[in-house]
Amino acid sequence: GLAYSSGWFIDKNGNINYNEVADLAVHLADNGSDGILIAGTTGESPTLTFEEEAELNEYMNLYNQILKKGLII
């Protein structure tokens, strides 16, 4: 299967836009992706604080469980 190293969506205030990240996850799951690499290698991860990265991981895992998309996070 396919796993996607996802880029992040940052709003104009420099915060992670979780709704856009979730929309991308749903789109990828619905179109054949098996997983998403959180804070992957697209260059955004060094700009995230430890807390932001932890929040993003927690959010995506919870979102994945709620939607039952079966993505590997």
Side-chain angles (χ1 to χ4, degrees), residues 32-49:
S33 290
D34 295 317
I36 297 175
L37 177 61
I38 300 297
T41 59
T42 57
E44 292 84 358
S45 59
T47 66
L48 297 175
T49 66

Side-chain angles (χ1 to χ4, degrees), residues 1-27:
L2 175 69
Y4 177 75
S5 177
S6 121
W8 304 115
F9 299 93
I10 306 297
D11 68 18
K12 63 183 176 185
N13 297 318
N15 300 308
I16 298 171
N17 185 327
Y18 290 99
N19 290 331
E20 288 189 23
V21 174
D23 288 346
L24 175 62
V26 169
H27 173 78

Side-chain angles (χ1 to χ4, degrees), residues 34-66:
D34 295 317
I36 297 175
L37 177 61
I38 300 297
T41 59
T42 57
E44 292 84 358
S45 59
T47 66
L48 297 175
T49 66
F50 177 78
E51 291 79 16
E52 288 173 325
E53 192 169 334
E55 285 176 12
L56 185 58
N57 279 304
E58 184 178 332
Y59 176 83
M60 290 304 294
N61 279 306
L62 180 61
Y63 193 79
N64 189 40
Q65 290 173 8
I66 291 169

